[in-house]
Amino acid sequence: DALPICQASERSSPKLSAVMKWTILISLLIISAESRDLFRRDADPHESRHIGDVYKKLTVTDFRGLVLITLSQSLQKCDLDEISKQVEPVTSLAQACSNGARHADCAKPIGTLFLDRICAIPELGSKYEWSTECCAKSDPERHTCFKEHKDLPHDALGPYKPPTADAICATYKEDKEKVLSEYIHAVSRRHPHLYSPAILSFTYHFNTIDRKS
């Protein structure tokens, strides 16, 4: 299913503080070598890692997080609701591929698969002018083109409006997944080059803080 084009919303994340930077550094150090290699390969369409292979290596929660991160970093103007519409279909595809489905997308490198889905969005070029040129390329040139256009100015996303601690805790008790998804989306779209395992690891830390609040 095509992801609808969206305008920049007001949701975003604040700039990384010194504490966040140190936490991310520590997170990177404790992630296993296998996970680091897996994410490196998945980001590079030169590699033949397929979506079913990636799904088998991760928990379902982490896989959904990877999809959310990838789309949020590539489509920074989209709000969480619009991005989330693609997470479940991609997860369902990955599950089917891991079980031996013969879908054509199962044979694509995962980086190519994500870009194919993004480039299939109707009227993508009307909001992302550079995308027409990028989507006309073949990988790995297409991948490089998208990477070069990830640096959307922070002010283009609107001012960050942090919720109060009471609001976060109340929402967390009602819908933990919503709070964590909002956190992943906010960090990913504001920091499009941030290493995916770092975002996931910091989300675990954020989740721990919320549970103790």
Side-chain angles (χ1 to χ4, degrees):
D1 296 332
L3 181 70
I5 291 297
C6 42
Q7 301 286 351
S9 70
E10 292 186 349
R11 282 187 231 163
S12 58
S13 68
K15 293 182 179 180
L16 288 177
S17 65
V19 174
M20 286 181 68
K21 290 178 181 177
W22 275 109
T23 303
I24 290 171
L25 176 60
I26 293 171
S27 298
L28 288 172
L29 292 175
I30 64 176
I31 294 174
S32 70
E34 180 180 5
S35 295
R36 289 198 301 269
D37 290 342
L38 175 65
F39 279 84
R40 284 197 191 103
R41 289 193 296 266
D42 295 339
D44 187 353
H46 277 97
E47 300 291 345
S48 59
R49 182 69 62 170
H50 302 139
I51 195 169
D53 299 325
V54 175
Y55 186 84
K56 290 178 181 179
K57 290 287 187 177
L58 302 171
T59 66
V60 175
T61 298
D62 284 352
F63 183 84
R64 287 194 177 104
L66 172 61
V67 176
L68 179 57
I69 291 167
T70 301
L71 293 174
S72 298
Q73 289 182 326
S74 298
L75 300 172
Q76 296 163 271
K77 295 179 181 179
C78 294
D79 63 29
L80 178 59
D81 289 340
E82 291 166 311
I83 294 291
S84 295
K85 292 176 183 178
Q86 282 287 65
V87 174
E88 196 57 42
V90 172
T91 302
S92 296
L93 171 65
Q95 184 177 26
C97 293
S98 70
N99 290 328
R102 295 181 177 275
H103 195 289
D105 285 344
C106 295
K108 295 180 180 179
I110 192 169
T112 297
L113 172 61
F114 276 116
L115 290 181
D116 282 352
R117 285 181 170 255
I118 290 172
C119 288
I121 297 172
E123 301 179 359
L124 180 69
S126 65
K127 302 301 180 184
Y128 299 87
E129 293 82 2
W130 48 265
S131 66
T132 301
E133 178 184 354
C134 290
C135 290
K137 299 178 182 292
S138 299
D139 289 326
E141 288 78 13
R142 182 177 61 167
H143 173 265
T144 301
C145 186
F146 267 86
K147 186 175 181 180
E148 290 173 346
H149 288 90
K150 275 188 175 183
D151 293 315
L152 188 69
H154 282 199
D155 57 6
L157 298 177
Y160 177 65
K161 297 180 179 180
T164 65
D166 289 342
I168 291 178
C169 290
T171 304
Y172 185 88
K173 291 177 182 178
E174 296 176 359
D175 191 346
K176 180 182 73 172
E177 295 303 321
K178 178 183 178 185
V179 173
L180 297 180
S181 294
E182 288 176 344
Y183 179 82
I184 290 175
H185 175 252
V187 174
S188 299
R189 69 200 295 257
R190 183 65 73 166
H191 303 286
H193 297 288
L194 190 59
Y195 195 33
S196 297
I199 297 176
L200 289 179
S201 294
F202 199 65
T203 302
Y204 297 148
H205 180 67
F206 177 79
N207 185 33
T208 300
I209 293 172
D210 269 354
R211 287 204 307 267
K212 293 179 179 178
S213 299

